[in-house]
């Protein structure tokens, strides 16, 4: 069939429109939405796996990070094996289990929580006079004070357990009935049936955390059976629906002990009613078993000397990030006993930087505030560092790679081969030289840069062993001494080193743990003057990603706004449109996907400066990345 000129024009126009709207639809589905001027009503302090949020005026679900702010009329849902602890501004706490969903509306004098499915535990702040109304499929629950649990699944009707305080429920005829402490209400088609809770669960309490040392931990179960019930059976499961039970045993008395490995667990008791033939269940409590994570101060290391000549140095203090902590308290003092602290603050980050510490010796430690009730806070050891004035700026120190390292062609192709050194705020630039001999006589590469990292033209160097040095230059043009000599070898493939093992020893198969490193910019001050792009680089080991999603956020006070998003298959990306950037604090999220499934997610942070570091506000100097990798001090 031959088309005339007019028909071809119409056809191409329709195809263009279809492609345009398909592209717009894809971008809308994959965009990250900022909070903007929405009212923040609470925060998610702790979560496992994936918890999502949907704004009132949006149709897109977005993945929430730990310590994410929640806004009024958000809809929250959790996926399988997920849980979250939400703390509202009035002190009310909401624990949500897996496969749960609710909408939170705090408009007006009567806060409302619309519960759709799953399991919730609400701890109402007794000091707040207003009720919290919970609605679900036409049923209404009013929590005046205390603790309540709500369960709803496809197989079961809505159930309410009142552990503590005062709660009323509204029946179909509009009449309100009080549900006293220690009773439960079952919402059935025939009406609301109020019963006494047959078994009171004492230990472990809901949200209790146990540490497995090293592989398992003895868990003590304790309960109280009310009169009229007998033949208790203890059930422990990985699922709140108890579809697969790990423990299903008859127990005697009011306590039992079992050893459990790492995981999230739900437990309840099933008892027989002496009067009837049916079984009754207690409420469901959830607890966690996890390995004891190492918690310590990381940088500056104990006894580190931080030199400066004229400008006080930017001192970055970092510590281990704990999955079981929601905030950290940093204490800095001139005394080894940390009396009369000169710096003291609480933060959700695991690092903070100061540029106003004067010459002297400082001592510091960090207290990790636990996210779980009845769990002690963790304290790091006390470390010290010295800020010392010197006559000249010291020579730069190599950070990466370590001397004698092999750099493979695969690392070069994936842009994972980077020369990195410790930056200094008093240096304007660095002269990097690479030679084929240790005396630096035959220089094959030389470049001056204002950053503290550099990617040489590896293809120009070729294969073989090379040596590198750095010389720093101050704003006045004075040069530092030459750095120590760095040696590295460029090879096609790295040599595999097989460990010597005992042939009689049987070892389990071990898989390489997937890791995602936010390489740059991360924990750094980025000087943008004279640059035409902002370059992002990361490294993935132990897994092959199909796609990377990068989202860039700008921070202004407590607000965090997404300003840029890109999907790529490369392990690097250059942001060319610098018009969307401004001086201040930024963070970026990177998610790794394979077959459309989320594998890993990490966060990095940095500060942008256009001229001098002193143009930044003090509030900008808080990094929120999980781990500092490189530091550029301008």
């Amino acid at each position: 069939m031959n088309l005339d000129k007019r028909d071809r024009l119409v056809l191409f126009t329709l195809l263009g429109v279809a492609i345009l709207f398909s592209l717009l639809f894809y971008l809308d589905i994959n965009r990250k939405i900022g909070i903007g001027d929405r009212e923040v009503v609470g925060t998610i302090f702790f979560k496992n796996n994936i918890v999502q949020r949907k704004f009132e005026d949006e149709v897109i679900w977005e993945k929430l990070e730990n310590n994410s702010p929640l806004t009024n009329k958000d809809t929250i849902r959790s996926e399988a094996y997920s849980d979250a602890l939400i703390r509202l501004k009035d002190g009310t706490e909401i624990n949500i289990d897996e496969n749960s969903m609710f909408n939170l509306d705090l408009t007006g004098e009567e806060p409302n929580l619309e519960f759709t499915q799953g399991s919730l535990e609400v701890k109402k702040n007794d000091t707040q006079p207003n009720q919290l109304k919970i609605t679900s499929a036409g049923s209404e629950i009013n929590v005046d004070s205390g603790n309540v649990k709500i369960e709803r699944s496809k197989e079961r009707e809505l159930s309410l357990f009142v552990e503590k305080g005062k709660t009323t429920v509204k029946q179909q005829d509009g009449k309100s009935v009080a549900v006293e402490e220690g009773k439960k209400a079952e919402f059935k088609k025939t009406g609301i049936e109020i019963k006494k809770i047959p078994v009171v669960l004492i230990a472990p309490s809901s949200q209790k955390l146990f540490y497995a040392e090293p592989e398992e931990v003895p868990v003590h179960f304790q309960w109280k059976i009310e009169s009229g019930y007998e033949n208790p059976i203890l059930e422990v499961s990985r699922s709140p629906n108890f579809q697969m039970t790990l423990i299903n045993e008859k127990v005697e008395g009011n306590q039992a002990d079992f050893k459990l490995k790492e995981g999230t667990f739900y437990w309840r008791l099933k008892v027989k009613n002496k009067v009837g033939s049916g079984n009754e269940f207690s409420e469901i409590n959830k607890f966690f078993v996890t390995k004891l994570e190492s918690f310590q101060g990381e940088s500056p290391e104990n006894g580190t000397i931080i030199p400066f000549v004229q400008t006080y140095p930017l001192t970055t203090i970092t510590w281990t990030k704990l999955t079981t902590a929601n905030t950290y308290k940093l204490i800095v003092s001139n005394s080894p006993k940390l009396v009369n602290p000169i710096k003291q603050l609480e933060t959700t980050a695991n690092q903070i930087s100061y540029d106003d510490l004067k010459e002297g010796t400082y001592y510091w430690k960090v207290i990790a505030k636990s996210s779980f009730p009845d769990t002690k806070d963790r304290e790091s050891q006390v470390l010290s560092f010295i800020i010392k004035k010197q006559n000249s700026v010291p020579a730069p120190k190599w950070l990466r790679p370590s001397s004698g390292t092999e750099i493979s062609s695969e690392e070069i192709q994936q842009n994972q081969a980077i020369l990195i050194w410790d930056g200094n705020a008093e240096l304007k630039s660095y002269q990097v030289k690479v030679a084929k001999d240790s005396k630096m006589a035959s220089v094959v590469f030389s470049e001056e840069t204002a950053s503290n990292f550099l990617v040489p033209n590896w293809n120009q160097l070729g294969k073989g062993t090379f040596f590198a040095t750095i010389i720093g230059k101050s704003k006045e043009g004075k040069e530092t001494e030459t750095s120590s000599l760095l040696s590295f070898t460029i090879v096609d493939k790295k040599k595999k080193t097989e460990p010597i093992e005992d042939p009689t020893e049987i070892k389990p198969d071990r898989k390489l743990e997937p890791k995602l490193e936010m390489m740059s910019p991360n924990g750094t001050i980025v000087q943008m003057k004279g640059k035409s792009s902002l370059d992002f680089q990361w490294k993935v080991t132990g897994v092959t990603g199909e796609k990377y999603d990068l989202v860039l956020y700008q921070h202004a006070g407590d607000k965090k706004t997404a300003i840029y998003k890109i999907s790529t298959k490369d392990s690097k990306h250059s942001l060319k449109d610098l018009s969307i950037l401004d001086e201040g604090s930024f963070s970026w999220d990177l998610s790794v996907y394979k077959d459309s499934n989320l594998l890993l997610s990490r966060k990095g942070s940095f500060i942008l400066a256009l001229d001098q570091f002193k143009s930044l506000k003090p509030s900008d100097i808080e990094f929120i990345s999980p781990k500092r990798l490189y530091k550029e001090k301008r």
Side-chain angles (χ1 to χ4, degrees):
M1 179 178 67
N2 295 324
L3 298 176
D4 59 22
K5 185 176 181 180
R6 182 179 177 183
D7 291 335
R8 286 197 298 270
L9 178 62
V10 172
L11 177 61
F12 288 130
T13 301
L14 292 176
L15 285 174
V17 171
I19 293 171
L20 174 63
F21 279 96
S22 298
L23 178 62
L24 292 176
F25 176 75
Y26 173 81
L27 293 175
D28 185 69
I29 286 293
N30 288 277
R31 68 192 171 108
K32 199 85 169 182
I33 307 166
I35 289 177
D37 58 356
R38 295 179 175 90
E39 179 190 1
V40 176
V41 296
T43 307
I44 284 189
F45 279 97
F46 174 81
K47 72 179 182 61
N48 279 331
N49 294 334
I50 296 176
V51 178
Q52 296 177 313
R53 173 254 302 285
K54 182 169 72 67
F55 290 120
E56 176 193 20
D57 53 352
E58 297 287 346
V59 296
I60 300 172
W61 290 92
E62 68 165 343
K63 179 172 66 71
L64 287 172
E65 298 292 339
N66 195 11
N67 298 305
S68 292
L70 300 180
T71 65
N72 196 27
K73 298 186 179 181
D74 280 354
T75 299
I76 307 297
R77 71 180 182 186
S78 60
E79 297 189 0
Y81 303 106
S82 301
D83 59 80
L85 169 62
I86 297 172
R87 183 172 292 122
L88 303 181
K89 281 189 172 181
D90 67 358
T92 299
E93 290 187 353
I94 304 172
N95 289 293
I96 64 173
D97 287 331
E98 63 177 70
N99 298 318
S100 300
M101 185 165 68
F102 71 92
N103 176 271
L104 189 62
D105 185 358
L106 301 184
T107 306
E109 298 180 356
E110 190 178 53
N112 179 57
L113 190 156
E114 186 178 350
F115 177 60
T116 305
Q117 66 181 34
S119 175
L120 291 179
E121 179 181 5
V122 178
K123 296 182 180 180
K124 177 74 171 56
N125 188 350
D126 296 347
T127 61
Q128 297 296 322
N130 55 335
Q131 291 182 333
L132 175 63
K133 183 172 71 175
I134 303 172
T135 57
S136 181
S139 302
E140 184 176 307
I141 303 167
N142 293 287
V143 183
D144 292 317
S145 63
N147 304 350
V148 299
K149 286 185 179 179
I150 309 165
E151 299 172 6
R152 183 185 185 91
S153 64
K154 295 180 181 178
E155 297 80 14
R156 298 172 59 187
E157 299 292 337
L158 181 68
S159 298
L160 165 70
F161 295 84
V162 180
E163 294 181 335
K164 177 185 175 183
K166 182 181 177 182
T167 302
T168 57
V169 297
K170 185 174 287 188
Q171 302 184 89
Q172 292 179 351
D173 57 7
K175 293 183 180 180
S176 295
V177 179
V179 183
E180 299 175 356
E181 184 174 318
K183 291 190 176 181
K184 68 176 181 177
E186 295 182 350
F187 294 73
K188 299 182 178 180
K189 295 180 179 179
T190 56
I192 300 174
E193 185 177 346
I194 300 176
K195 299 179 180 179
K196 192 172 186 179
I197 298 177
V199 183
V200 178
L201 303 184
I202 299 174
S205 58
S206 184
Q207 305 296 314
K208 177 70 176 178
L209 176 67
F210 295 90
Y211 291 115
E213 299 179 1
E215 298 296 332
E216 57 185 13
V217 62
V219 178
H220 179 69
F221 296 89
Q222 189 176 355
W223 57 88
K224 179 185 176 183
I225 301 178
E226 300 293 339
S227 59
Y229 300 92
E230 61 184 0
N231 301 333
I233 296 177
L234 175 64
E235 295 182 344
V236 180
S237 175
R238 296 272 191 176
S239 166
N241 296 325
F242 287 81
Q243 295 175 342
M244 295 179 63
T245 55
L246 298 176
I247 299 173
N248 189 352
E249 295 190 16
K250 291 183 178 180
V251 287
E252 300 291 338
N254 63 347
Q255 55 187 342
D257 293 278
F258 291 92
K259 289 186 177 181
L260 293 171
K261 295 183 178 181
E262 187 176 10
T264 300
F265 300 93
Y266 302 84
W267 75 286
R268 68 183 181 186
L269 257 79
K270 180 171 67 175
V271 292
K272 184 179 179 182
N273 194 327
K274 291 181 180 180
V275 178
S277 59
N279 292 322
E280 296 282 350
F281 291 92
S282 71
E283 60 180 321
I284 299 172
N285 271 4
K286 178 173 66 175
F287 64 92
F288 309 89
V289 177
T290 185
K291 292 182 179 179
L292 185 64
E293 299 173 279
S294 173
F295 181 62
Q296 59 188 5
E298 293 183 331
S299 175
E301 295 181 358
N302 196 38
T304 296
I305 297 177
I306 304 174
F308 74 98
V309 178
Q310 293 179 339
T311 306
Y312 292 134
L314 178 67
T315 304
T316 301
I317 302 175
T318 68
W319 54 90
T320 311
K321 194 172 185 68
L322 294 180
T323 58
T324 57
N326 53 38
T327 59
Y328 305 92
K329 183 178 181 180
L330 171 65
I331 302 173
V332 182
S333 173
N334 297 118
S335 166
K337 294 184 179 180
L338 301 178
V339 295
N340 300 321
I342 59 172
K343 300 287 185 182
Q344 191 170 202
L345 62 84
E346 286 198 16
T347 176
T348 58
N350 69 319
Q351 64 178 16
I352 193 74
S353 294
Y354 296 105
D355 67 343
D356 59 350
L357 295 179
K358 300 179 181 179
E359 187 175 12
T361 301
Y362 296 90
Y363 302 87
W364 65 283
K365 76 172 181 180
V366 181
I367 302 172
K369 303 285 187 177
S370 177
S371 303
F372 298 88
D374 304 322
T375 304
K376 292 182 179 180
D377 296 337
R378 302 276 304 276
E379 290 191 16
S380 71
Q381 73 278 38
V382 177
L383 299 177
S384 68
F385 61 89
I386 302 169
I387 295 181
K388 189 175 182 180
K389 183 176 177 62
Q390 294 186 347
N391 295 325
S392 60
V393 179
K397 294 181 179 179
W398 287 107
L399 297 179
R400 176 175 176 169
S402 56
S403 195
T405 296
E406 287 186 343
I407 299 175
S408 67
S409 299
E410 181 182 2
E411 289 175 313
I412 293 173
Q413 290 174 0
Q414 295 180 357
N415 207 29
Q416 296 174 358
I418 307 175
L419 301 180
I420 304 166
W421 55 93
D422 193 8
N424 192 298
E426 297 185 276
L427 295 178
K428 180 182 179 182
S429 63
Y430 307 88
Q431 184 70 44
V432 181
K433 292 182 179 181
V434 179
K436 289 187 176 182
D437 63 297
S438 59
K439 294 183 179 180
M440 304 299 294
S442 54
V443 175
V444 293
F445 176 85
S446 180
E447 185 170 326
E448 187 170 345
T449 176
S451 302
N452 70 319
F453 59 90
L454 180 67
V455 180
N457 187 339
W458 298 109
N459 294 328
Q460 174 189 338
L461 297 180
K463 302 294 187 297
T465 300
F466 298 88
F467 302 86
T469 60
I470 320 167
I471 296 177
K473 293 183 179 180
S474 68
K475 298 174 183 177
E476 295 77 20
K478 294 182 179 180
E479 294 186 350
T480 67
E481 294 183 0
T482 305
S483 70
S484 60
L485 193 66
L486 172 70
S487 65
F488 56 89
T489 304
I490 301 177
V491 297
D492 287 324
K493 288 186 177 181
K494 290 186 177 181
K495 297 178 181 178
K496 292 185 178 180
T497 56
E498 298 292 338
I500 300 175
E501 297 184 358
D502 183 354
T504 63
E505 182 181 4
I506 301 176
K507 293 186 176 182
D509 293 334
R510 293 184 179 179
K511 293 183 179 179
L512 182 63
E513 182 182 358
K515 290 184 179 180
L516 172 60
E517 293 184 35
M518 312 292 274
M519 300 183 70
S520 65
N522 189 22
T524 180
I525 310 293
V526 180
Q527 175 59 254
M528 292 299 296
K529 187 175 182 180
K531 291 188 178 181
S532 59
S533 65
L534 177 61
D535 299 323
F536 296 89
Q537 295 175 341
W538 55 91
K539 179 180 179 181
V540 179
T541 56
V543 67
T544 302
E546 182 181 87
K547 185 186 72 169
Y548 304 97
D549 278 357
L550 188 156
V551 184
L552 178 63
Y553 298 90
Q554 181 157 14
H555 297 255
D558 294 334
K559 292 185 178 180
K560 172 183 172 183
T561 305
I563 62 172
Y564 183 75
K565 179 175 180 179
I566 190 67
S567 295
T568 179
K569 293 185 177 181
D570 298 326
S571 58
K572 61 179 180 178
H573 178 70
S574 293
L575 171 57
K576 303 289 187 182
D577 184 10
L578 302 184
S579 63
I580 65 174
L581 304 176
D582 196 1
E583 286 187 302
S585 297
F586 293 80
S587 64
W588 54 295
D589 292 351
L590 189 68
S591 301
V592 184
Y593 292 87
K594 184 176 179 63
D595 299 327
S596 299
N597 295 318
L598 178 65
L599 300 179
L600 292 169
S601 180
R602 291 290 184 271
K603 185 189 296 294
S605 66
F606 59 94
I607 291 175
L608 285 187
L610 298 179
D611 188 10
Q612 297 179 1
F613 171 71
K614 287 186 177 180
S615 65
L616 298 174
K617 301 183 293 296
S619 59
D620 292 331
I621 316 301
E622 178 175 332
F623 301 127
I624 60 172
S625 62
K627 184 177 181 182
R628 182 182 69 92
L629 295 179
Y630 323 122
K631 177 178 56 180
E632 179 186 355
K633 298 175 283 189
R634 302 300 303 161

